[in-house]
Amino acid sequence: MSNEMDTKAPIVIAHRGFSSEYPENTVTSFEAAVSAGFNYIELDIHLTADSVIVVMHDETVNRTTNGEGNIRDLYLEEIKSLDAGSWFDSNSPSEQVPTLKEILVKFENRVHIFVEIKSEEEDLLIELRSLLETMGWIPDSNYDKSQEALPVPGISIISFMQDQLLLSAKVFPELAHGLLTIETSEELIEWCVSKGMVGIFPYVAYVDRSFVSSAHNSGLYVGAWGFENPEQLSRSLALGLDGVTVDWPVEAGVIIGKEISLDE
């Protein structure tokens, strides 16, 4: 298993959509990535004051909208009145902050979503469970959640927060879970294995071939994030990563394609 995982080309995960060219975590950004042929996307979720799951990275709306305030203190109607597009570029059209439900409807049967849990609230997981069940995104009991299986459509849960991941694994025993981390260590690999995680997602600057091989030998999927430019991605292909999370999926696809063709 580990040799195959070490040699297979990594999948490209569109980080908050096609976020180098479009406002992050918007329908436009996700549509641009999917339309370009990239059906693995990553997004972040929070709860509003009226317990609706919205897609946004930060805890506040300040950076990516024309409003201010904590998402948890704002009602959906208030958040929907904000412009989530023009902050990115003066030429960007106005965008609404999407709800997760809107993303699930828009991209039904088209994507595998890596959902990053950004909050320690148990209510977020409960609401997420209810939404995914209602929308038909919870797989049946025969679902293969191993590192080789990233079905489209599908959902994986990722987070930096270990306690929230463990709680999520109880709420969603059917889904694959992965630990986001900055540094790399054998202790983190051991934690993931002992807690039933399927993957580990370290910051690429701290990843080396030895760590990837060790994680693979332990049966873990390894996806890296934090790529600053395409050149860094090109250099990282020798590491044997299973996935790369980038803001520029088209450039990443070209790089991976070129590397594969040269190897062949």
Side-chain angles (χ1 to χ4, degrees):
M1 178 187 297
S2 61
N3 288 338
E4 180 181 348
M5 292 172 70
D6 284 343
T7 57
K8 186 170 60 175
I11 65 167
V12 175
I13 303 168
H15 183 235
R16 308 175 201 169
F18 200 153
S19 56
S20 66
E21 299 294 328
Y22 302 92
E24 66 180 60
N25 279 329
T26 60
V27 171
T28 298
S29 185
F30 295 125
E31 182 62 53
V34 176
S35 296
F38 297 90
N39 52 9
Y40 295 96
I41 63 175
E42 183 267 359
L43 53 77
D44 314 277
I45 60 172
H46 291 276
L47 272 183
T48 64
D50 43 347
S51 297
V52 179
I53 301 175
V54 292
V55 178
M56 187 175 286
H57 178 271
D58 299 358
E59 293 182 352
T60 75
V61 300
N62 301 15
R63 180 176 64 85
T64 55
T65 78
N66 60 342
E68 293 184 354
N70 294 317
I71 296 172
R72 200 62 173 103
D73 297 332
L74 298 171
Y75 289 89
L76 180 63
E77 183 178 1
E78 296 175 285
I79 292 174
K80 280 294 187 181
S81 71
L82 303 176
D83 177 6
S86 59
W87 69 271
F88 180 78
D89 187 300
S90 59
N91 296 320
S92 294
S94 177
E95 295 264 0
Q96 284 192 328
V97 175
T99 65
L100 181 58
K101 181 178 181 180
E102 290 167 343
I103 298 298
L104 296 177
V105 170
K106 175 74 174 178
F107 298 101
E108 182 181 12
N109 298 322
R110 300 170 64 192
V111 294
H112 186 104
I113 305 175
F114 290 83
V115 176
E116 182 176 347
I117 304 298
K118 302 294 292 186
S119 162
E120 295 182 352
E121 299 168 296
E122 184 175 354
D123 287 353
L124 177 60
L125 299 178
I126 294 171
E127 293 295 333
L128 180 60
R129 175 85 202 187
S130 176
L131 177 62
L132 295 181
E133 282 186 342
T134 301
M135 303 297 294
W137 283 72
I138 298 291
D140 61 32
S141 58
N142 295 320
Y143 174 67
D144 177 8
K145 62 176 184 177
S146 68
Q147 69 274 6
E148 291 93 347
L150 288 172
V152 175
I155 299 281
S156 295
I157 306 292
I158 57 176
S159 183
F160 284 96
M161 298 176 287
Q162 293 184 358
D163 289 344
Q164 191 72 324
L165 268 183
L166 295 179
L167 180 58
S168 180
K170 293 179 180 178
V171 174
F172 298 100
E174 309 93 335
L175 298 181
H177 287 72
L179 176 67
L180 286 162
T181 180
I182 295 178
E183 297 184 354
T184 59
S185 69
E186 287 298 319
E187 288 75 18
L188 286 171
I189 291 174
E190 292 170 5
W191 185 89
C192 287
V193 173
S194 67
K195 303 303 182 182
M197 299 294 111
V198 171
I200 187 166
F201 295 79
Y203 177 46
V204 65
Y206 291 98
V207 179
D208 59 24
R209 180 79 184 193
S210 175
F211 175 82
V212 175
S213 295
S214 180
H216 282 170
N217 289 335
S218 297
L220 293 174
Y221 172 101
V222 184
W225 58 274
F227 294 90
E228 295 183 3
N229 51 60
E231 292 73 26
Q232 185 182 28
L233 172 61
S234 184
R235 294 193 300 269
S236 76
L237 294 185
L239 297 174
L241 296 166
D242 303 303
V244 293
T245 301
V246 298
D247 299 341
W248 18 268
V250 170
E251 288 181 87
V254 169
I255 290 168
I256 291 170
K258 285 181 178 179
E259 293 291 337
I260 294 169
S261 63
L262 287 174
D263 289 344
E264 293 175 350

